[in-house]
PDB file of all heavy atoms in Angstrom:
ATOM      1  N   PRO A 122    -156.330  79.364  66.582  1.00 98.00           N
ATOM      2  CA  PRO A 122    -155.620  80.087  67.569  1.00 98.00           C
ATOM      3  C   PRO A 122    -156.544  80.770  68.664  1.00 98.00           C
ATOM      4  O   PRO A 122    -156.090  80.830  69.786  1.00 98.00           O
ATOM      5  CB  PRO A 122    -155.055  81.222  66.723  1.00 98.00           C
ATOM      6  CG  PRO A 122    -155.973  81.318  65.550  1.00 98.00           C
ATOM      7  CD  PRO A 122    -156.573  79.991  65.329  1.00 98.00           C
ATOM      8  N   VAL A 123    -157.770  81.021  68.307  1.00 98.00           N
ATOM      9  CA  VAL A 123    -158.631  81.718  69.350  1.00 98.00           C
ATOM     10  C   VAL A 123    -160.071  81.371  68.994  1.00 98.00           C
ATOM     11  O   VAL A 123    -160.411  81.273  67.838  1.00 98.00           O
ATOM     12  CB  VAL A 123    -158.333  83.285  69.285  1.00 98.00           C
ATOM     13  CG1 VAL A 123    -158.574  83.879  67.876  1.00 98.00           C
ATOM     14  CG2 VAL A 123    -159.165  84.034  70.326  1.00 98.00           C
ATOM     15  N   LEU A 124    -160.885  81.196  70.040  1.00 98.00           N
ATOM     16  CA  LEU A 124    -162.232  80.887  69.863  1.00 98.00           C
ATOM     17  C   LEU A 124    -163.138  81.825  70.651  1.00 98.00           C
ATOM     18  O   LEU A 124    -162.969  82.035  71.891  1.00 98.00           O
ATOM     19  CB  LEU A 124    -162.422  79.455  70.363  1.00 98.00           C
ATOM     20  CG  LEU A 124    -163.891  78.890  70.138  1.00 98.00           C
ATOM     21  CD1 LEU A 124    -164.361  78.854  68.727  1.00 98.00           C
ATOM     22  CD2 LEU A 124    -163.993  77.464  70.749  1.00 98.00           C
ATOM     23  N   ARG A 125    -164.042  82.442  69.933  1.00 98.00           N
ATOM     24  CA  ARG A 125    -164.985  83.438  70.596  1.00 98.00           C
ATOM     25  C   ARG A 125    -166.265  82.721  71.030  1.00 98.00           C
ATOM     26  O   ARG A 125    -166.816  81.940  70.264  1.00 98.00           O
ATOM     27  CB  ARG A 125    -165.332  84.561  69.565  1.00 98.00           C
ATOM     28  CG  ARG A 125    -166.244  85.599  70.065  1.00 98.00           C
ATOM     29  CD  ARG A 125    -166.384  86.693  69.053  1.00 98.00           C
ATOM     30  NE  ARG A 125    -167.404  87.697  69.469  1.00 98.00           N
ATOM     31  CZ  ARG A 125    -168.458  88.014  68.783  1.00 98.00           C
ATOM     32  NH1 ARG A 125    -168.814  87.411  67.688  1.00 98.00           N
ATOM     33  NH2 ARG A 125    -169.287  88.931  69.249  1.00 98.00           N
ATOM     34  N   TRP A 126    -166.775  83.069  72.211  1.00 98.00           N
ATOM     35  CA  TRP A 126    -167.913  82.421  72.742  1.00 98.00           C
ATOM     36  C   TRP A 126    -168.499  83.349  73.912  1.00 98.00           C
ATOM     37  O   TRP A 126    -167.613  84.145  74.407  1.00 98.00           O
ATOM     38  CB  TRP A 126    -167.477  81.067  73.361  1.00 98.00           C
ATOM     39  CG  TRP A 126    -168.430  80.402  74.240  1.00 98.00           C
ATOM     40  CD1 TRP A 126    -169.403  79.522  73.825  1.00 98.00           C
ATOM     41  CD2 TRP A 126    -168.576  80.403  75.642  1.00 98.00           C
ATOM     42  NE1 TRP A 126    -170.111  78.997  74.893  1.00 98.00           N
ATOM     43  CE2 TRP A 126    -169.654  79.567  76.043  1.00 98.00           C
ATOM     44  CE3 TRP A 126    -167.932  81.135  76.707  1.00 98.00           C
ATOM     45  CZ2 TRP A 126    -170.077  79.486  77.364  1.00 98.00           C
ATOM     46  CZ3 TRP A 126    -168.345  80.894  77.955  1.00 98.00           C
ATOM     47  CH2 TRP A 126    -169.453  80.103  78.372  1.00 98.00           C
ATOM     48  N   THR A 166    -169.095  77.899  81.442  1.00 98.00           N
ATOM     49  CA  THR A 166    -167.685  78.396  81.506  1.00 98.00           C
ATOM     50  C   THR A 166    -166.651  77.255  81.591  1.00 98.00           C
ATOM     51  O   THR A 166    -165.687  77.299  80.823  1.00 98.00           O
ATOM     52  CB  THR A 166    -167.520  79.235  82.780  1.00 98.00           C
ATOM     53  OG1 THR A 166    -168.485  80.339  82.654  1.00 98.00           O
ATOM     54  CG2 THR A 166    -166.157  79.757  82.945  1.00 98.00           C
ATOM     55  N   PHE A 169    -166.479  75.421  78.251  1.00 98.00           N
ATOM     56  CA  PHE A 169    -165.823  76.175  77.180  1.00 98.00           C
ATOM     57  C   PHE A 169    -164.275  76.215  77.404  1.00 98.00           C
ATOM     58  O   PHE A 169    -163.480  76.075  76.497  1.00 98.00           O
ATOM     59  CB  PHE A 169    -166.328  77.593  77.199  1.00 98.00           C
ATOM     60  CG  PHE A 169    -165.648  78.545  76.212  1.00 98.00           C
ATOM     61  CD1 PHE A 169    -165.688  78.291  74.861  1.00 98.00           C
ATOM     62  CD2 PHE A 169    -164.904  79.579  76.670  1.00 98.00           C
ATOM     63  CE1 PHE A 169    -164.914  79.052  74.012  1.00 98.00           C
ATOM     64  CE2 PHE A 169    -164.203  80.313  75.893  1.00 98.00           C
ATOM     65  CZ  PHE A 169    -164.230  80.159  74.488  1.00 98.00           C
ATOM     66  N   MET A 170    -163.887  76.462  78.698  1.00 98.00           N
ATOM     67  CA  MET A 170    -162.441  76.577  78.964  1.00 98.00           C
ATOM     68  C   MET A 170    -161.792  75.190  78.770  1.00 98.00           C
ATOM     69  O   MET A 170    -160.658  75.104  78.257  1.00 98.00           O
ATOM     70  CB  MET A 170    -162.269  76.949  80.391  1.00 98.00           C
ATOM     71  CG  MET A 170    -162.745  78.402  80.617  1.00 98.00           C
ATOM     72  SD  MET A 170    -162.106  79.651  79.519  1.00 98.00           S
ATOM     73  CE  MET A 170    -160.376  79.829  80.100  1.00 98.00           C
ATOM     74  N   CYS A 173    -161.259  74.956  75.012  1.00 98.00           N
ATOM     75  CA  CYS A 173    -160.082  75.698  74.619  1.00 98.00           C
ATOM     76  C   CYS A 173    -158.829  75.054  74.929  1.00 98.00           C
ATOM     77  O   CYS A 173    -157.825  75.006  74.161  1.00 98.00           O
ATOM     78  CB  CYS A 173    -160.140  77.119  75.217  1.00 98.00           C
ATOM     79  SG  CYS A 173    -161.429  78.148  74.566  1.00 98.00           S
ATOM     80  N   GLU A 174    -158.795  74.425  76.101  1.00 98.00           N
ATOM     81  CA  GLU A 174    -157.583  73.632  76.481  1.00 98.00           C
ATOM     82  C   GLU A 174    -157.399  72.512  75.503  1.00 98.00           C
ATOM     83  O   GLU A 174    -156.242  72.277  75.071  1.00 98.00           O
ATOM     84  CB  GLU A 174    -157.769  73.085  77.830  1.00 98.00           C
ATOM     85  CG  GLU A 174    -157.130  73.894  78.972  1.00 98.00           C
ATOM     86  CD  GLU A 174    -157.603  73.521  80.362  1.00 98.00           C
ATOM     87  OE1 GLU A 174    -157.752  72.246  80.604  1.00 98.00           O
ATOM     88  OE2 GLU A 174    -157.816  74.432  81.208  1.00 98.00           O
ATOM     89  N   GLY A 177    -156.096  73.781  72.381  1.00 98.00           N
ATOM     90  CA  GLY A 177    -154.782  74.587  72.413  1.00 98.00           C
ATOM     91  C   GLY A 177    -155.003  75.968  71.951  1.00 98.00           C
ATOM     92  O   GLY A 177    -154.137  76.584  71.369  1.00 98.00           O
ATOM     93  N   CYS A 178    -156.234  76.529  72.174  1.00 98.00           N
ATOM     94  CA  CYS A 178    -156.478  77.919  71.629  1.00 98.00           C
ATOM     95  C   CYS A 178    -156.717  78.995  72.788  1.00 98.00           C
ATOM     96  O   CYS A 178    -156.999  78.511  73.936  1.00 98.00           O
ATOM     97  CB  CYS A 178    -157.614  77.988  70.595  1.00 98.00           C
ATOM     98  SG  CYS A 178    -159.200  77.713  71.367  1.00 98.00           S
ATOM     99  N   GLU A 179    -156.629  80.177  72.426  1.00 98.00           N
ATOM    100  CA  GLU A 179    -156.949  81.232  73.461  1.00 98.00           C
ATOM    101  C   GLU A 179    -158.433  81.366  73.470  1.00 98.00           C
ATOM    102  O   GLU A 179    -159.161  81.463  72.457  1.00 98.00           O
ATOM    103  CB  GLU A 179    -156.391  82.562  72.994  1.00 98.00           C
ATOM    104  CG  GLU A 179    -154.838  82.619  72.872  1.00 98.00           C
ATOM    105  CD  GLU A 179    -154.183  82.661  74.230  1.00 98.00           C
ATOM    106  OE1 GLU A 179    -154.838  82.836  75.248  1.00 98.00           O
ATOM    107  OE2 GLU A 179    -152.991  82.601  74.242  1.00 98.00           O
ATOM    108  N   PRO A 180    -158.994  81.518  74.718  1.00 98.00           N
ATOM    109  CA  PRO A 180    -160.430  81.796  74.847  1.00 98.00           C
ATOM    110  C   PRO A 180    -160.681  83.332  74.548  1.00 98.00           C
ATOM    111  O   PRO A 180    -159.875  84.135  75.046  1.00 98.00           O
ATOM    112  CB  PRO A 180    -160.816  81.494  76.286  1.00 98.00           C
ATOM    113  CG  PRO A 180    -159.529  81.419  77.029  1.00 98.00           C
ATOM    114  CD  PRO A 180    -158.361  81.284  75.960  1.00 98.00           C
ATOM    115  N   TYR A 181    -161.708  83.647  73.889  1.00 98.00           N
ATOM    116  CA  TYR A 181    -162.131  85.000  73.721  1.00 98.00           C
ATOM    117  C   TYR A 181    -163.581  85.032  74.220  1.00 98.00           C
ATOM    118  O   TYR A 181    -164.546  84.449  73.510  1.00 98.00           O
ATOM    119  CB  TYR A 181    -162.076  85.431  72.224  1.00 98.00           C
ATOM    120  CG  TYR A 181    -162.792  86.703  71.815  1.00 98.00           C
ATOM    121  CD1 TYR A 181    -163.280  87.606  72.682  1.00 98.00           C
ATOM    122  CD2 TYR A 181    -162.822  87.017  70.419  1.00 98.00           C
ATOM    123  CE1 TYR A 181    -163.944  88.804  72.286  1.00 98.00           C
ATOM    124  CE2 TYR A 181    -163.474  88.178  70.003  1.00 98.00           C
ATOM    125  CZ  TYR A 181    -164.044  89.030  70.881  1.00 98.00           C
ATOM    126  OH  TYR A 181    -164.736  90.177  70.499  1.00 98.00           O
ATOM    127  N   ILE A 182    -163.811  85.552  75.360  1.00 98.00           N
ATOM    128  CA  ILE A 182    -165.099  85.525  75.999  1.00 98.00           C
ATOM    129  C   ILE A 182    -165.830  86.838  75.744  1.00 98.00           C
ATOM    130  O   ILE A 182    -165.249  87.974  75.998  1.00 98.00           O
ATOM    131  CB  ILE A 182    -164.959  85.211  77.501  1.00 98.00           C
ATOM    132  CG1 ILE A 182    -164.496  83.767  77.663  1.00 98.00           C
ATOM    133  CG2 ILE A 182    -166.215  85.468  78.216  1.00 98.00           C
ATOM    134  CD1 ILE A 182    -164.439  83.247  79.023  1.00 98.00           C
ATOM    135  N   ASN A 183    -167.040  86.783  75.322  1.00 98.00           N
ATOM    136  CA  ASN A 183    -167.838  87.948  75.023  1.00 98.00           C
ATOM    137  C   ASN A 183    -168.841  88.097  76.220  1.00 98.00           C
ATOM    138  O   ASN A 183    -169.774  87.370  76.403  1.00 98.00           O
ATOM    139  CB  ASN A 183    -168.572  87.833  73.779  1.00 98.00           C
ATOM    140  CG  ASN A 183    -168.771  89.077  73.091  1.00 98.00           C
ATOM    141  OD1 ASN A 183    -168.321  89.338  71.909  1.00 98.00           O
ATOM    142  ND2 ASN A 183    -169.425  90.121  73.780  1.00 98.00           N
ATOM    143  N   LEU A 201    -163.024  83.631  86.529  1.00 98.00           N
ATOM    144  CA  LEU A 201    -162.124  83.014  85.548  1.00 98.00           C
ATOM    145  C   LEU A 201    -160.660  83.141  85.918  1.00 98.00           C
ATOM    146  O   LEU A 201    -159.870  82.225  85.769  1.00 98.00           O
ATOM    147  CB  LEU A 201    -162.312  83.728  84.110  1.00 98.00           C
ATOM    148  CG  LEU A 201    -163.626  83.367  83.317  1.00 98.00           C
ATOM    149  CD1 LEU A 201    -163.926  84.446  82.356  1.00 98.00           C
ATOM    150  CD2 LEU A 201    -163.465  81.984  82.673  1.00 98.00           C
ATOM    151  N   TRP A 222    -157.911  80.341  85.391  1.00 98.00           N
ATOM    152  CA  TRP A 222    -157.560  80.138  83.961  1.00 98.00           C
ATOM    153  C   TRP A 222    -156.781  81.419  83.439  1.00 98.00           C
ATOM    154  O   TRP A 222    -156.899  82.457  84.217  1.00 98.00           O
ATOM    155  CB  TRP A 222    -158.785  79.936  83.148  1.00 98.00           C
ATOM    156  CG  TRP A 222    -159.489  78.654  83.268  1.00 98.00           C
ATOM    157  CD1 TRP A 222    -159.109  77.385  82.740  1.00 98.00           C
ATOM    158  CD2 TRP A 222    -160.807  78.441  83.965  1.00 98.00           C
ATOM    159  NE1 TRP A 222    -160.109  76.442  83.073  1.00 98.00           N
ATOM    160  CE2 TRP A 222    -161.141  77.059  83.777  1.00 98.00           C
ATOM    161  CE3 TRP A 222    -161.630  79.204  84.608  1.00 98.00           C
ATOM    162  CZ2 TRP A 222    -162.303  76.482  84.294  1.00 98.00           C
ATOM    163  CZ3 TRP A 222    -162.874  78.659  85.078  1.00 98.00           C
ATOM    164  CH2 TRP A 222    -163.163  77.400  84.962  1.00 98.00           C
ATOM    165  N   LYS A 223    -156.265  81.319  82.340  1.00 98.00           N
ATOM    166  CA  LYS A 223    -155.776  82.554  81.713  1.00 98.00           C
ATOM    167  C   LYS A 223    -156.808  82.892  80.630  1.00 98.00           C
ATOM    168  O   LYS A 223    -157.234  82.097  79.830  1.00 98.00           O
ATOM    169  CB  LYS A 223    -154.469  82.180  80.934  1.00 98.00           C
ATOM    170  CG  LYS A 223    -153.282  82.018  81.853  1.00 98.00           C
ATOM    171  CD  LYS A 223    -152.619  83.307  82.198  1.00 98.00           C
ATOM    172  CE  LYS A 223    -151.446  83.144  83.192  1.00 98.00           C
ATOM    173  NZ  LYS A 223    -151.646  83.998  84.364  1.00 98.00           N
ATOM    174  N   VAL A 224    -157.214  84.185  80.656  1.00 98.00           N
ATOM    175  CA  VAL A 224    -158.079  84.698  79.541  1.00 98.00           C
ATOM    176  C   VAL A 224    -157.515  85.911  78.985  1.00 98.00           C
ATOM    177  O   VAL A 224    -157.313  86.921  79.724  1.00 98.00           O
ATOM    178  CB  VAL A 224    -159.462  84.974  80.176  1.00 98.00           C
ATOM    179  CG1 VAL A 224    -160.425  85.613  79.150  1.00 98.00           C
ATOM    180  CG2 VAL A 224    -160.160  83.735  80.764  1.00 98.00           C
ATOM    181  N   ALA A 225    -157.214  85.795  77.762  1.00 97.00           N
ATOM    182  CA  ALA A 225    -156.524  86.950  77.173  1.00 97.00           C
ATOM    183  C   ALA A 225    -157.521  87.984  76.529  1.00 97.00           C
ATOM    184  O   ALA A 225    -157.282  89.176  76.627  1.00 97.00           O
ATOM    185  CB  ALA A 225    -155.603  86.502  76.006  1.00 97.00           C
ATOM    186  N   TYR A 226    -158.622  87.442  75.944  1.00 98.00           N
ATOM    187  CA  TYR A 226    -159.508  88.352  75.200  1.00 98.00           C
ATOM    188  C   TYR A 226    -160.886  88.391  75.855  1.00 98.00           C
ATOM    189  O   TYR A 226    -161.516  87.370  76.123  1.00 98.00           O
ATOM    190  CB  TYR A 226    -159.640  87.894  73.846  1.00 98.00           C
ATOM    191  CG  TYR A 226    -158.259  87.792  73.107  1.00 98.00           C
ATOM    192  CD1 TYR A 226    -157.582  86.578  72.935  1.00 98.00           C
ATOM    193  CD2 TYR A 226    -157.551  89.006  72.701  1.00 98.00           C
ATOM    194  CE1 TYR A 226    -156.335  86.523  72.358  1.00 98.00           C
ATOM    195  CE2 TYR A 226    -156.316  88.917  72.171  1.00 98.00           C
ATOM    196  CZ  TYR A 226    -155.745  87.680  71.929  1.00 98.00           C
ATOM    197  OH  TYR A 226    -154.515  87.594  71.455  1.00 98.00           O
ATOM    198  N   PHE A 227    -161.377  89.623  76.041  1.00 98.00           N
ATOM    199  CA  PHE A 227    -162.767  89.741  76.638  1.00 98.00           C
ATOM    200  C   PHE A 227    -163.509  90.885  75.891  1.00 98.00           C
ATOM    201  O   PHE A 227    -163.040  91.983  75.756  1.00 98.00           O
ATOM    202  CB  PHE A 227    -162.564  90.140  78.190  1.00 98.00           C
ATOM    203  CG  PHE A 227    -163.863  89.908  78.907  1.00 98.00           C
ATOM    204  CD1 PHE A 227    -164.165  88.729  79.533  1.00 98.00           C
ATOM    205  CD2 PHE A 227    -164.859  90.824  78.945  1.00 98.00           C
ATOM    206  CE1 PHE A 227    -165.366  88.470  80.151  1.00 98.00           C
ATOM    207  CE2 PHE A 227    -166.140  90.696  79.603  1.00 98.00           C
ATOM    208  CZ  PHE A 227    -166.336  89.422  80.251  1.00 98.00           C
ATOM    209  N   GLY A 228    -164.603  90.491  75.349  1.00 98.00           N
ATOM    210  CA  GLY A 228    -165.426  91.465  74.658  1.00 98.00           C
ATOM    211  C   GLY A 228    -166.554  92.053  75.523  1.00 98.00           C
ATOM    212  O   GLY A 228    -167.157  91.361  76.354  1.00 98.00           O
ATOM    213  N   ILE A 267    -162.035  94.354  74.316  1.00 98.00           N
ATOM    214  CA  ILE A 267    -162.564  94.554  73.015  1.00 98.00           C
ATOM    215  C   ILE A 267    -163.912  95.270  73.129  1.00 98.00           C
ATOM    216  O   ILE A 267    -164.797  94.800  73.797  1.00 98.00           O
ATOM    217  CB  ILE A 267    -162.663  93.123  72.315  1.00 98.00           C
ATOM    218  CG1 ILE A 267    -161.236  92.599  72.349  1.00 98.00           C
ATOM    219  CG2 ILE A 267    -163.317  93.348  70.953  1.00 98.00           C
ATOM    220  CD1 ILE A 267    -161.220  91.119  71.733  1.00 98.00           C
ATOM    221  N   MET A 398    -157.111  90.200  64.541  1.00 98.00           N
ATOM    222  CA  MET A 398    -157.963  88.983  64.824  1.00 98.00           C
ATOM    223  C   MET A 398    -159.248  89.004  63.892  1.00 98.00           C
ATOM    224  O   MET A 398    -159.715  90.059  63.603  1.00 98.00           O
ATOM    225  CB  MET A 398    -158.391  88.985  66.280  1.00 98.00           C
ATOM    226  CG  MET A 398    -159.015  87.651  66.733  1.00 98.00           C
ATOM    227  SD  MET A 398    -159.986  87.685  68.194  1.00 98.00           S
ATOM    228  CE  MET A 398    -158.834  87.998  69.476  1.00 98.00           C
ATOM    229  N   ASN A 400    -162.810  86.221  63.278  1.00 98.00           N
ATOM    230  CA  ASN A 400    -163.397  84.995  63.768  1.00 98.00           C
ATOM    231  C   ASN A 400    -164.503  84.662  62.813  1.00 98.00           C
ATOM    232  O   ASN A 400    -165.511  85.362  62.708  1.00 98.00           O
ATOM    233  CB  ASN A 400    -163.945  85.207  65.152  1.00 98.00           C
ATOM    234  CG  ASN A 400    -162.943  85.832  66.135  1.00 98.00           C
ATOM    235  OD1 ASN A 400    -162.521  86.973  66.006  1.00 98.00           O
ATOM    236  ND2 ASN A 400    -162.399  85.033  67.007  1.00 98.00           N
TER     237      ASN A 400
END
Side-chain angles (χ1 to χ4, degrees):
V123 60
L124 182 61
R125 177 174 181 243
W126 171 85
T166 300
F169 173 66
M170 295 307 285
C173 291
E174 263 165 40
C178 75
E179 298 285 353
Y181 166 11
I182 291 188
N183 210 121
L201 285 158
W222 289 283
K223 288 273 177 234
V224 175
Y226 302 104
F227 198 91
I267 299 172
M398 190 198 293
N400 308 72

